[in-house]
Amino acid sequence: MSCRLLYLNTHRLSAHAWQQGNLRAEGVFDNDEDGLQQFAKYLGEHSSSQFSLLANVAEEGHALETIPFLQGGDRQTLITRKIGQHFLGTPLAAAISLGYEKSQRKNEKLLLSALTNPAHFEPWLRRISDAAVPLAGIYTVAQLGGLLLKKLGQDSSRCLLLTVQDHSIRETYLVDGNAHFSRMAPLTDSSIAGIASALAAEAGKLHQYLIGQRLIGRDESLPAFIVAHPLTIPAIEKACPEHSKLNFTLIDSHVAAHQLKLHTLPADNRSDQLFLHLLATAPPAQQFAGETHRHHFRLSQIRQGLIAAGLIALLGGVLFAAKETYDAQNLRAEASALAASETDLNHRYQEISATFPQLDVDHETLRRLTNRYGDLIAQQRQPAPSYRMVSRVLDRMPAIVLEGIDWKIGQNSRLTVTNQASAPEITTVRGSIRLERATARQTLAVFDQFVDALRADPANTINVLQRPFDIESGRALRGGDGLDEEAQPRQFAVEIVRSTAP
């Protein structure tokens, strides 16, 4: 939004447009009905601008106050009550915190300032409200005095500042950059000599007044800064007393304008343009307008915040779309490269396959056959698990000698691969039992231990095909008649049916 500044004195209001260090006067409106109508028309023509009001009026009061340590709404309520006690409840007031006391309990020191004649501002503020233009705030020349000295590199801890404003001299007593006292003195003689003598005289009067109010010591030396046009400075230097309690420092208004980066140089001794430029570039945090007067300014802030959020969202969307476009382009390039690589590989494959022997089947059929063969190989079952199981049992029984072992799947040897998946494994073990000087009962006991060890696996079903001794029903079991018969190996045969179903 463009920035426009309003300067209000005791007689009229002037409007200025500020842009990049340049001030341009746009109108002067008298404090009468015609001037107010012209001002309302001016506001309607620039309703999209943001306005700030700088006041230079005599009705300005300052007071020091101490309040208990409070926060939030309680603090604001107490400050409003104190302003009402000092300034009869004017709505144009500001409170500046000066810190907290450390010697006693944590009391807060405040500088209360107010424009004590709100009726002088009311017609202008009403036109601003009717035009619905944003008013950033109301400020005073005295309020900007400390900021002016700070920008110019001068010490403003305790000093006097004298400037020429309109047809008067603005005298301000500053402490740590804050105006503790300010008044206007009429300027009857506008000549260079008259201005010089008036500035020197008013500085002495203000010094005596501050001593009388016990704001400074009687023997205390006080810096006094005077802002003047370069043509007036020699006369002011001559008018200022050499031996006094005031240490005068003259500030060239043109040099000050260059330091403040104000491109529009003051044409006379008035410092209005310097303060207006300060207000446009570095407005103070505190101002005198109430929230009622700043309603449209708050709305403009919300509007600008929404626009800024929308622009950020738009920028984020553009960046995201650019990133996605870049990624999509990379994917398309990668897909093109893969397609080219596939084409090259297919061409090379065709070249290589052309050298293969010619078969009665095409390549696709041959590929299906090889894939089917691989599937069949993967479905085949091997005797290794059954052999390992038998081997573990034989390791524990050294008296049994393995003479032969057969392995097959199912009883039918012509099973298909599909049927083989559910058919049991049949392992036939043939062996002999060799024990020295063992009776028949001892031999059968070893055989029974072997069979029990095979039955330990619940997946096994054991069928005895041949026992070491033929035992007929009703016939007693007895040993042989001689030593040769007892030492002869006893052969046996066992069938292990192993189920692989889950």
Side-chain angles (χ1 to χ4, degrees):
M1 298 180 66
S2 58
C3 177
R4 280 180 164 78
L5 307 173
L6 305 176
Y7 179 73
L8 177 64
N9 56 24
T10 56
H11 299 92
R12 60 182 60 88
L13 182 144
S14 58
H16 303 265
W18 182 90
Q19 185 178 12
Q20 298 179 353
N22 292 306
L23 274 173
R24 184 180 74 255
E26 292 186 333
V28 178
F29 311 99
D30 294 328
N31 191 8
D32 54 22
E33 191 61 30
D34 292 338
L36 293 173
Q37 290 180 359
Q38 294 177 7
F39 178 63
K41 181 179 178 181
Y42 169 80
L43 293 175
E45 294 173 352
H46 304 89
S47 58
S48 61
S49 298
Q50 177 178 298
F51 290 84
S52 297
L53 178 62
L54 178 63
N56 180 42
V57 293
E59 298 84 359
E60 181 178 352
H62 305 273
L64 293 173
E65 190 61 67
T66 301
I67 63 173
F69 176 76
L70 296 172
Q71 291 181 338
D74 294 337
R75 176 179 179 272
Q76 187 59 41
T77 301
L78 183 57
I79 290 175
T80 303
R81 186 184 307 138
K82 292 294 184 180
I83 291 175
Q85 293 173 357
H86 286 281
F87 306 114
L88 300 178
T90 175
L92 306 179
I96 301 174
S97 178
L98 301 180
Y100 297 92
E101 293 181 347
K102 298 181 180 179
S103 59
Q104 301 177 3
R105 60 181 181 175
K106 195 176 181 181
N107 293 332
E108 184 180 7
K109 295 182 292 184
L110 293 175
L111 173 62
L112 305 179
S113 303
L115 299 170
T116 57
N117 186 17
H120 180 68
F121 294 83
E122 194 275 335
W124 307 102
L125 295 178
R126 187 169 68 252
R127 267 63 180 185
I128 293 175
S129 178
D130 293 341
V133 296
L135 177 64
I138 300 175
Y139 307 88
T140 64
V141 172
Q143 185 184 11
L144 296 172
L147 180 62
L148 175 64
L149 294 180
K150 180 180 179 181
K151 292 287 186 179
L152 298 179
Q154 302 293 341
D155 182 18
S156 60
S157 56
R158 289 171 66 89
C159 65
L160 302 181
L161 175 63
L162 286 81
T163 59
V164 177
Q165 308 293 141
D166 306 315
H167 297 287
S168 62
I169 297 176
R170 169 62 65 176
E171 309 169 24
T172 307
Y173 170 57
L174 299 171
V175 178
D176 296 329
N178 297 312
H180 283 229
F181 177 80
S182 182
R183 72 178 182 183
M184 291 177 61
L187 186 61
T188 57
D189 187 359
S190 299
S191 63
I192 294 179
I195 292 175
S197 60
L199 288 171
E202 290 299 329
K205 292 178 182 179
L206 180 58
H207 183 251
Q208 292 298 322
Y209 174 80
L210 296 176
I211 293 175
Q213 295 295 320
R214 297 184 179 180
L215 296 177
I216 60 174
R218 184 171 296 276
D219 297 329
E220 182 179 354
S221 179
L222 193 66
F225 298 96
I226 299 176
V227 181
H229 193 272
L231 297 179
T232 317
I233 289 179
I236 298 176
E237 290 179 344
K238 185 177 180 181
C240 293
E242 297 182 358
H243 304 286
S244 66
K245 297 298 181 181
L246 292 176
N247 298 324
F248 289 96
T249 301
L250 303 183
I251 299 175
D252 190 328
S253 60
H254 287 190
V255 175
H258 287 298
Q259 292 181 357
L260 298 176
K261 298 181 180 180
L262 171 62
H263 305 310
T264 306
L265 300 179
D268 50 25
N269 280 289
R270 292 182 299 175
S271 303
D272 308 346
Q273 293 179 340
L274 297 178
F275 289 109
L276 288 171
H277 178 73
L278 278 177
L279 181 59
T281 55
Q286 288 79 19
Q287 53 83 39
F288 291 85
E291 288 302 321
T292 303
H293 305 126
R294 306 179 74 199
H295 173 71
H296 297 288
F297 173 70
R298 296 300 186 192
L299 293 179
S300 68
Q301 284 184 319
I302 296 174
R303 188 183 305 111
Q304 291 176 12
L306 294 176
I307 293 174
L311 290 176
I312 292 174
L314 177 61
L315 179 60
V318 171
L319 293 177
F320 180 76
K323 177 182 178 300
E324 292 299 317
T325 303
Y326 177 76
D327 293 341
Q329 184 177 1
N330 289 339
L331 290 176
R332 284 194 294 269
E334 184 178 354
S336 300
L338 291 176
S341 177
E342 181 185 8
T343 303
D344 182 62
L345 291 176
N346 289 334
H347 180 69
R348 292 172 57 188
Y349 173 76
Q350 292 175 359
E351 290 179 351
I352 295 173
S353 62
T355 62
F356 292 164
Q358 298 297 323
L359 301 176
D360 294 337
V361 296
D362 58 339
H363 294 165
E364 187 63 27
T365 304
L366 182 61
R367 182 180 295 106
R368 287 199 301 268
L369 290 175
T370 54
N371 292 339
R372 181 59 178 166
Y373 176 76
D375 295 339
L376 294 176
I377 292 298
Q379 295 178 6
Q380 285 186 354
R381 292 158 59 184
Q382 302 295 329
S386 298
Y387 285 3
R388 282 195 296 268
M389 182 268 296
V390 174
S391 176
R392 287 193 296 268
V393 175
L394 292 176
D395 287 342
R396 299 196 302 268
M397 307 185 71
I400 296 179
V401 178
L402 181 66
E403 295 180 353
I405 184 170
D406 296 328
W407 179 87
K408 64 180 180 178
I409 298 177
Q411 298 294 341
N412 188 1
S413 59
R414 295 183 179 181
L415 293 174
T416 62
V417 175
T418 304
N419 295 332
Q420 287 181 4
S422 59
E425 298 179 4
I426 299 177
T427 305
T428 304
V429 178
R430 295 183 299 277
S432 60
I433 301 175
R434 298 183 181 182
L435 294 173
E436 295 182 359
R437 300 180 179 277
T439 64
R441 294 182 181 277
Q442 292 175 340
T443 302
L444 288 175
V446 172
F447 176 73
D448 291 339
Q449 291 178 2
F450 175 69
V451 172
D452 293 339
L454 294 177
R455 286 198 179 104
D457 191 344
N460 296 339
T461 301
I462 309 301
N463 298 321
V464 178
L465 303 179
Q466 179 185 352
R467 299 180 68 83
F469 294 95
D470 293 331
I471 302 176
E472 297 180 0
S473 177
R475 183 177 179 182
L477 179 65
R478 61 185 182 84
D481 295 334
L483 295 175
D484 293 338
E485 186 178 356
E486 293 178 355
Q488 182 179 359
R490 301 296 179 177
Q491 296 179 344
F492 64 89
V494 177
E495 184 182 70
I496 305 172
V497 180
R498 184 176 180 85
S499 177
T500 59

